[in-house]
């Protein structure tokens, strides 16, 4: 079935938003992928569901992000809701939403401060925090909620310590993170009022960060914020607005996605007792298991790219200005890319997935998300080897970031 003649029987964008599909969107993805893997919903919107096509777009420089001063994307940005603007009134965004050369410059600067070595140094502290949170859960009467007890407070504590946010302010970080995460939802899929709520949260967070930046300039510490303040390359440094935009991006990437990865991954293991037992008996499989869990139920279900020039995908013409909705969740279960894609196999090798993207926008925070999840799973299975579900999980209402609101467990 071709993209042109498939739209009459395709699932719609409203199906993606339907609460009835939130618990398990994968049958919907499978139907979409089999009926029209490149579905042109209108003259300016295409939906992609195959691994090969999504991977190709993510790695192709002809596809990028819609920048508000580009006339081809007039009306698709939200200039009225922008929080950070430069002296000329142009929006200042984190590098995730930029194209080269701006993206190249900013990512290079941030990469100097947010290094793999800095992340690896966090391992003992993450283990300590995880043990503290787990001890608190063990002391609770009856079933516990993994999302409330571990999956949420662990990443917010880590990103707070990474940025040098005082312990007393962590509850504010949590509130801001939930609201700011709406920035990852494409504009045309946002519910009414969500954009305004997200903009208010960004404003509050950036106002708070400005005060922290002043303190770090006066008295630098060993935290990431101090490193970002001091980073430079041949005289080039981050402007204050670029620094604030970067920290906002790190808040989303460092918290929301990791919460979802820990929750989704734990639920997947509990629903596959053979794989849970396999991991419990062989903790050395943990690193590979996390990669398979990223593929099986990715915390990021979709992303958007725009055709910056005339291009094509799998031989189908894509005119400049076209919006492409990439269903990462569907691509990660494409039978053309994986043997038995609906099966959870923590020993699967190699585990190719698109959960962290590909190409120049590959997630800079991937090592941190992996590390936190590896430590969380090792701790859970070591301290609660007979862990089991104690009720029905509840899913968040979020089209882009797939994750649980509640995961009741018996620790055995």
């Amino acid at each position: 079935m071709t993209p042109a003649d498939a739209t009459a029987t395709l699932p719609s964008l409203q199906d993606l938003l339907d609460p009835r599909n939130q618990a398990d969107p994968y049958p919907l993805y499978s139907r979409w992928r089999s009926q029209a893997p490149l579905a042109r919903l209108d003259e300016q919107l295409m939906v992609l569901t195959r691994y090969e096509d999504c991977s190709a777009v993510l790695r192709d420089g002809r596809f990028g992000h819609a920048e508000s001063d580009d006339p081809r994307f007039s009306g698709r940005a939200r200039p009225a809701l922008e929080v950070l603007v430069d002296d000329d009134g142009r929006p200042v965004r984190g590098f995730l939403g930029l194209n080269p050369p701006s993206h190249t410059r900013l990512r290079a600067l941030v990469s100097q401060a947010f290094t793999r070595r800095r992340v690896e140094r966090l391992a003992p502290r993450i283990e300590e925090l995880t043990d503290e949170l787990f001890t608190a859960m063990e002391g609770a009467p009856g079933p516990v909620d993994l999302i409330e007890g571990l999956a949420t407070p662990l990443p917010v504590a880590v990103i707070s310590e990474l940025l040098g946010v005082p312990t007393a302010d962590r509850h504010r970080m949590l509130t801001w993170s939930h609201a700011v995460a709406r920035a990852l939802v494409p504009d045309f899929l946002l519910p009414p009022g969500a954009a305004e709520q997200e903009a208010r949260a960004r404003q509050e967070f950036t106002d708070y960060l400005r005060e922290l930046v002043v303190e770090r300039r006066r008295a630098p510490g060993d935290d990431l914020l101090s490193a970002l303040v001091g980073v430079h390359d041949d005289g080039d440094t981050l402007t204050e607005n670029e620094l604030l935009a970067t920290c906002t991006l790190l808040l989303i990437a460092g918290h929301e996605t990791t919460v979802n990865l820990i929750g989704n991954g734990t639920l997947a293991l509990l629903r596959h007792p053979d794989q849970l037992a396999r991991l419990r008996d062989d903790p050395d499989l943990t690193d590979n298991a996390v990669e398979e869990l990223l593929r099986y139920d990715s915390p990021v279900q979709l992303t958007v790219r725009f055709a910056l020039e005339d291009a094509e995908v799998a031989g189908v013409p894509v005119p400049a200005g076209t919006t492409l909705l990439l269903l990462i969740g569907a691509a990660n279960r494409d039978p053309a890319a994986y043997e038995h894609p609906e099966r959870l196999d923590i020993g699967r090798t190699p585990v190719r997935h698109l959960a962290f993207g590909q190409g120049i926008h590959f997630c800079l925070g991937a090592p941190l998300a992996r590390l936190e999840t590896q430590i969380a799973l090792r701790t859970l299975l070591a301290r609660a080897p007979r862990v089991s579900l104690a009720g029905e999980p509840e899913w968040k209402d979020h089209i882009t970031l797939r994750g649980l609101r509640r995961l009741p467990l018996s620790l055995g």
Side-chain angles (χ1 to χ4, degrees):
M1 186 174 289
T2 65
D5 62 15
T7 55
T9 59
L10 279 177
S12 68
L13 293 179
Q14 288 305 311
D15 290 324
L16 289 176
L17 299 169
D18 192 330
R20 292 173 296 182
N21 292 319
Q22 286 180 344
D24 185 9
Y26 294 101
L28 180 69
Y29 294 159
S30 178
R31 179 182 159 204
W32 211 321
R33 191 177 52 236
S34 63
Q35 290 182 344
L38 281 84
R40 192 184 300 278
L41 299 192
D42 58 40
E43 292 183 356
Q44 290 190 316
L45 177 62
M46 293 181 68
V47 179
L48 279 61
T49 51
R50 292 187 300 207
Y51 179 95
E52 182 178 358
D53 299 335
C54 291
S55 175
V57 169
L58 291 171
R59 291 181 286 106
D60 192 332
R62 295 175 298 176
F63 301 97
H65 295 279
E67 299 188 19
S68 58
D69 56 353
D70 190 327
R72 292 172 297 182
F73 306 110
S74 177
R76 302 194 207 183
R78 297 176 293 188
L81 301 182
E82 294 293 348
V83 171
L84 298 171
V85 294
D86 62 19
D87 293 339
D88 296 322
R90 292 174 300 193
V92 177
R93 298 175 179 170
F95 56 83
L96 183 64
L98 298 176
N99 303 314
S102 299
H103 170 273
T104 308
R105 169 185 164 266
L106 281 178
R107 180 159 180 140
L109 285 168
V110 174
S111 296
Q112 291 184 38
F114 192 38
T115 62
R116 182 177 293 273
R117 183 179 179 184
R118 180 180 292 275
V119 170
E120 291 172 349
R121 290 204 324 254
L122 291 170
R125 180 56 178 152
I126 295 173
E127 291 172 351
E128 183 180 5
L129 288 167
T130 303
D131 280 332
E132 291 174 1
L133 292 166
F134 204 89
T135 297
M137 286 197 302
E138 286 178 322
V144 298
D145 177 10
L146 186 76
I147 306 303
E148 179 183 25
L150 177 65
T152 295
L154 176 62
V156 78
V158 172
I159 195 63
S160 294
E161 293 195 6
L162 192 61
L163 292 175
V165 174
T167 302
D169 291 336
R170 287 181 188 172
H171 68 286
R172 302 175 69 188
M173 294 282 285
L174 180 59
T175 301
W176 289 326
S177 180
H178 287 328
V180 172
R182 290 286 183 182
L184 296 180
V185 180
D187 290 4
F188 54 87
L189 293 177
L190 278 172
E196 290 77 9
Q197 181 185 18
E198 182 258 324
R200 286 194 298 272
R202 273 189 294 144
Q203 184 66 66
E204 291 176 7
F205 182 52
T206 54
D207 289 344
Y208 174 81
L209 278 175
R210 285 185 200 278
E211 298 178 9
L212 279 185
V213 169
V214 171
E215 294 179 14
R216 295 303 181 272
R217 292 193 191 281
R218 183 176 63 248
D222 190 34
D223 53 77
L224 177 60
L225 184 58
S226 296
L228 289 170
V229 168
V231 76
H232 61 86
D233 185 13
D234 292 333
D236 186 18
T237 60
L238 294 169
T239 68
E240 181 171 290
N241 279 344
E242 288 170 346
L243 176 61
L244 297 174
T246 297
C247 289
T248 302
L249 173 59
L250 291 175
L251 174 65
I252 303 172
H255 177 244
E256 290 290 332
T257 54
T258 308
V259 173
N260 295 349
L261 177 55
I262 293 172
N264 296 4
T266 301
L267 178 61
L269 288 168
L270 290 169
R271 286 178 167 172
H272 295 80
D274 61 323
Q275 298 301 300
L276 180 67
R278 186 179 179 187
L279 183 58
R280 183 184 59 232
D281 296 341
D282 186 2
D284 289 342
L285 278 173
T286 302
D287 291 7
N288 198 80
V290 170
E291 299 309 305
E292 172 68 349
L293 294 168
L294 281 160
R295 180 200 70 82
Y296 184 78
D297 200 6
S298 174
V300 179
Q301 290 284 294
L302 60 86
T303 190
V304 171
R305 291 292 186 272
F306 298 88
L308 305 177
E309 57 185 86
D310 289 341
E312 70 284 327
V313 178
V316 176
V318 181
T322 301
T323 303
L324 291 90
L325 186 65
L326 281 57
L327 296 186
I328 301 301
N332 279 339
R333 292 204 187 182
D334 184 352
Y338 311 99
E339 185 176 358
H340 305 300
E342 302 299 325
R343 179 186 301 171
L344 180 68
D345 178 5
I346 64 171
R348 186 189 299 271
T349 55
V351 188
R352 302 177 302 155
H353 60 73
L354 302 179
F356 291 128
Q358 283 188 350
I360 64 171
H361 290 289
F362 183 83
C363 179
L364 191 65
L368 180 58
R370 285 174 165 134
L371 179 62
E372 290 182 59
T373 306
Q374 290 160 5
I375 291 173
L377 289 179
R378 286 194 184 101
T379 303
L380 176 65
L381 295 185
R383 296 185 59 170
R386 296 190 300 276
V387 63
S388 62
L389 279 173
E392 280 299 310
E394 297 177 11
W395 293 92
K396 297 175 186 174
D397 178 18
H398 202 294
I399 183 64
T400 301
L401 299 179
R402 173 170 166 78
L404 292 157
R405 179 178 291 111
R406 182 172 177 271
L407 181 58
L409 301 181
S410 169
L411 298 181

